[in-house]
Amino acid sequence: MRDNFENSKKYFELFIEEKMNLIGDSYKRIDSGILTEDQMPFAKYTIFLFSLEILIAKYSAGFSIDELKGDYSNTINLLTSGWDDSVVKLKMGVKTLDQYILNQYCYMVWVLSLGILLLVSDKEKSLLKSIITNGNIKDELILFLLEALTNNNLKTEKIKTTYKPFKNLLKNNKLYEINRSDVKKYLSGWFKNSKLLPWYNTKSSIGKGSKYYYGFWSFESAAIVAINGLDDASFRENEYYPKDLVDYYRNQV
């Protein structure tokens, strides 16, 4: 177990089972034809989100990296059909902005970070690149992670629209200048600064029926450590730092 608490093994087994059932229910609703055209994008997005939650829950439960890579591939395939502008982008009146809503921003940062740490396939890298570039996203953190993932300078104007808590990863507005002390400081305030995100209070659901908690992990911190080749000795034991993903990355490159 990477996230060990009382009855954690059983909890994560039930969490994964519950989310798989919800995915099945979502597919049934889609196939039944009862959803309107306006409802379909959110239904597909929900399937992606449940899949991402399962992936993170499996990481928390101690599943092998190889199995996580398989789940990641499935999650990216679901992302391609579920990442619709009508669901993931901010709106100003009737205008849709080229900027993700906070929750969806968080999930995209995690997806990119996990892609870097798991050293995913070129196919998955290409799918993510298409989604972000076709969406005309210019956020500095997302583009930094995408460039690191694809080993490709996108030559795109970057705009500093990064949300809190992720904004604290920027140093002089440049992620590649961040050092180990910066990451340590970022991690020390990461959970507190995440209080506006929907998963913030999910641990209180443990033992109370429906399963919402899938683990608290700062995947972006690990990705920055991997990208910048930082020494993580002073914060490896931080409870939110997924250190074995960094170890996997280092052993592969």
Side-chain angles (χ1 to χ4, degrees):
M1 303 297 296
R2 298 182 179 99
D3 188 354
N4 200 10
F5 51 87
E6 186 177 358
N7 297 322
S8 55
K9 183 176 186 295
K10 184 63 175 178
Y11 171 84
F12 284 121
E13 287 175 354
L14 291 173
F15 178 95
I16 292 165
E17 180 182 356
E18 184 173 302
K19 297 302 176 181
M20 289 295 295
N21 289 336
L22 289 172
I23 288 174
D25 290 343
S26 294
Y27 276 123
K28 287 177 182 177
R29 293 182 70 223
I30 289 171
D31 294 341
S32 70
I34 64 173
L35 297 179
T36 66
E37 185 176 345
D38 289 343
Q39 292 172 326
M40 191 69 74
F42 185 76
K44 292 181 178 179
Y45 168 80
T46 300
I47 292 172
F48 150 72
L49 182 56
F50 288 151
S51 176
L52 178 62
E53 291 177 352
I54 289 170
L55 170 62
I56 298 173
K58 285 186 174 182
Y59 175 77
S60 298
F63 281 61
S64 71
I65 299 296
D66 285 341
E67 181 155 3
L68 296 177
K69 292 183 76 165
D71 280 276
Y72 182 91
S73 180
N74 178 57
T75 298
I76 295 305
N77 287 332
L78 294 172
L79 177 77
T80 59
S81 61
W83 201 256
D84 189 274
D85 284 357
S86 65
V87 179
V88 303
K89 284 186 173 181
L90 282 170
K91 295 178 179 61
M92 184 178 291
V94 297
K95 182 179 180 181
T96 298
L97 305 181
D98 289 329
Q99 182 178 347
Y100 296 140
I101 301 166
L102 173 59
N103 298 346
Q104 286 77 1
Y105 182 93
C106 173
Y107 302 139
M108 180 57 78
V109 166
W110 284 352
V111 165
L112 291 167
S113 298
L114 284 165
I116 291 165
L117 295 163
L118 294 172
L119 297 162
V120 298
S121 72
D122 289 341
K123 176 186 176 182
E124 288 144 6
K125 294 175 185 178
S126 179
L127 289 172
L128 284 167
K129 181 180 177 181
S130 295
I131 289 168
I132 293 168
T133 56
N134 291 343
N136 199 33
I137 300 300
K138 300 184 185 299
D139 176 84
E140 187 170 42
L141 174 58
I142 285 179
L143 291 182
F144 176 85
L145 293 170
L146 180 61
E147 289 178 350
L149 177 68
T150 59
N151 296 312
N152 189 338
N153 185 338
L154 301 176
K155 298 180 181 178
T156 300
E157 177 191 6
K158 298 177 178 64
I159 300 175
K160 301 171 184 62
T161 53
T162 304
Y163 288 107
K164 187 179 180 180
F166 308 101
K167 191 182 291 292
N168 296 333
L169 271 178
L170 298 171
K171 182 177 182 180
N172 301 323
N173 296 318
K174 296 177 181 177
L175 283 109
Y176 59 79
E177 290 187 4
I178 196 168
N179 59 39
R180 61 186 179 183
S181 296
D182 298 320
V183 176
K184 183 177 181 179
K185 181 179 179 182
Y186 174 78
L187 276 168
S188 69
W190 177 79
F191 186 72
K192 178 182 178 182
N193 290 330
S194 301
K195 60 186 176 182
L196 293 179
L197 287 156
W199 45 262
Y200 181 78
N201 286 319
T202 53
K203 202 161 190 176
S204 63
S205 71
I206 295 174
K208 296 181 180 178
S210 294
K211 311 294 185 295
Y212 298 107
Y213 175 72
Y214 45 81
F216 294 147
W217 302 104
S218 177
F219 296 113
E220 70 282 2
S221 295
I224 296 298
V225 168
I227 294 165
N228 288 356
L230 302 178
D231 179 357
D232 60 0
S234 64
F235 52 83
R236 275 183 68 82
E237 301 311 314
N238 183 289
E239 63 181 310
Y240 308 123
Y241 180 65
K243 59 187 176 184
D244 58 339
L245 287 176
V246 177
D247 294 340
Y248 175 81
Y249 176 91
R250 288 171 172 165
N251 290 333
Q252 300 298 316
V253 297

